[in-house]
Amino acid sequence: MDNSIEIGKEKVPALGLGTYQLMGKSGEQSVSDAIRIGYRHLDTAQYYRNEEMVGNAVRQSGKDRKEFFITTKIWPTDFTKRSFMPKVEQSLRELNAGYIDLLLLHWPADDNANDLACDLLNECIHKGYTRLVGVSNFGIPQLKRARQRMPVFCNQVEYNPYVDQTEMLEYIHDNNLLMTAYTPLARGRVNKDSALVELAGKYEKSVSQLVLRWFIQQKNVSPIPKAGSEKHLLENSQVFDFIITDSDMHTIFNLAIKK
Ligand SMILES: NC(=O)c1ccc[n+]([C@@H]2O[C@H](COP(=O)([O-])OP(=O)(O)OC[C@H]3O[C@@H](n4cnc5c(N)ncnc54)[C@H](OP(=O)(O)O)[C@@H]3O)[C@@H](O)[C@H]2O)c1
């Protein structure tokens, strides 16, 4: 699991772990299992109420903090002068990992609130709270506006074989940004898709593996599947030992384009 995406001088582990709904002791066990398997890119958010659990798993792994790429997100109702910094400081305390690697605005608010939040994210970089900043669920006009105020590294958006992100991908590539793909397995729906089942069989891989490989073969795209069980975590990590042909890549792209 050493494949990484290089953007400027940054190296982001291509395959991440989504942690939404991983909670408490069982959640911590899943994140610990993931780290043991080799996951180093961990995606959390204030909204998930599990930053402390994610931080515990990281510290208990005994691995060097520098090996990890930890993303967290601030909820739009906190894009105010009064709330923003205290909320970031709360994330830092809960994660207890020294710093955040990538701090995102979870969803856009109105333009004025987004502008303020971007200015405050710049301050977070200067204070050493986070190394990188970015946004999530921003459309292209909002992303362009954010980039005028801060050094946006990433837009995290919903992306899977049923969601067409052609335009956003073009913008991401033109500007050498990272696209983090959330809900990459369409919450498990991909596994029941007969076209994907047939294609996965051709590669002797599971549908989840096929779909995750499809992301890995796209430039600057990092999928963050959530998995609770060790079986799924392991299965999802085994996507670096085969290559999908260009023609089969297009077959998967076409699932979204047809809709
Ligand atoms: N920025 C945003 O607004 C936003 C929004 C939504 C999500 N996210 C992030 O994206 C992450 C992933 O999205 P998601 O959790 O919505 O959906 P997802 O990753 O597409 O799907 C998760 C579901 O797929 C199942 N699964 C995982 N691996 C599997 C496998 N190999 N075989 C069969 N089933 C498998 C999981 O089951 P088990 O748990 O039983 O393994 C779980 O039910 C979230 O955890 C979160 O970090 C961000």
Side-chain angles (χ1 to χ4, degrees):
M1 273 191 66
D2 54 1
N3 256 42
S4 51
I5 298 171
E6 287 189 35
I7 296 178
K9 56 181 171 36
E10 286 297 328
K11 274 188 174 184
V12 182
L15 178 72
L17 175 71
T19 68
Y20 183 45
Q21 291 175 329
L22 294 179
M23 304 287 286
K25 278 286 152 209
S26 66
E28 196 172 312
Q29 187 59 51
S30 301
V31 180
S32 295
D33 288 343
I35 294 171
R36 194 169 23 77
I37 288 167
Y39 291 80
R40 293 292 180 272
H41 173 177
L42 308 175
D43 183 82
T44 179
Q46 293 224 327
Y47 182 80
Y48 306 166
R49 297 173 181 271
N50 64 6
E51 290 169 301
E52 191 180 349
M53 175 277 277
V54 170
N56 284 342
V58 167
R59 279 192 315 285
Q60 279 164 21
S61 74
K63 307 269 179 216
D64 189 343
R65 167 69 182 88
K66 289 201 196 88
E67 286 186 27
F68 292 91
F69 188 89
I70 304 175
T71 301
T72 193
K73 320 182 191 82
I74 305 293
W75 197 248
T77 47
D78 294 315
F79 298 177
T80 64
K81 262 195 177 142
R82 180 193 278 256
S83 269
F84 197 89
M85 279 303 176
K87 283 289 187 174
V88 176
E89 284 156 2
Q90 182 184 324
S91 281
L92 282 168
R93 274 195 308 277
E94 299 212 347
L95 282 165
N96 193 10
Y99 59 90
I100 296 160
D101 290 281
L102 176 60
L103 184 55
L104 304 179
L105 305 180
H106 202 146
W107 282 88
D110 63 56
D111 280 349
N112 286 339
N114 291 342
D115 288 352
L116 172 75
C118 289
D119 295 347
L120 292 168
L121 279 183
N122 274 323
E123 233 179 282
C124 289
I125 299 176
H126 293 130
K127 283 177 185 274
Y129 289 175
T130 187
R131 295 194 310 106
L132 303 162
V133 295
V135 296
S136 177
N137 298 298
F138 275 42
I140 290 173
Q142 290 165 321
L143 183 52
K144 280 186 179 161
R145 188 173 171 116
R147 290 184 65 234
Q148 285 170 359
R149 300 186 88 91
M150 65 170 182
V152 174
F153 182 75
C154 158
N155 190 15
Q156 180 175 134
V157 293
E158 183 176 10
Y159 186 28
N160 60 52
Y162 310 115
V163 177
D164 179 10
Q165 287 289 7
T166 311
E167 274 180 48
M168 183 59 76
L169 273 172
E170 210 174 290
Y171 186 84
I172 292 281
H173 294 156
D174 287 350
N175 295 285
N176 200 25
L177 306 179
L178 174 72
M179 181 194 278
T180 309
Y182 80 66
T183 317
L185 303 175
R187 301 213 163 95
R189 184 178 149 205
V190 291
N191 295 295
K192 299 183 197 95
D193 186 311
S194 56
L196 290 172
V197 170
E198 195 184 322
L199 204 52
K202 177 175 155 187
Y203 291 92
E204 298 183 341
K205 287 284 179 182
S206 72
V207 173
S208 296
Q209 288 171 324
L210 175 82
V211 170
L212 294 172
R213 180 71 209 179
W214 173 72
F215 286 110
I216 302 289
Q217 285 182 219
Q218 296 178 52
K219 189 170 172 270
N220 289 19
V221 177
S222 171
I224 48 166
K226 175 259 176 184
S229 67
E230 197 174 353
K231 177 179 179 286
H232 286 166
L233 287 165
L234 186 64
E235 182 180 318
N236 296 349
S237 72
Q238 292 167 339
V239 294
F240 298 102
D241 58 353
F242 72 112
I243 293 173
I244 303 175
T245 64
D246 287 350
S247 147
D248 290 339
M249 287 291 288
H250 283 293
T251 302
I252 304 174
F253 278 116
N254 282 338
L255 291 176
I257 290 162
K258 260 189 250 152
K259 299 201 170 171

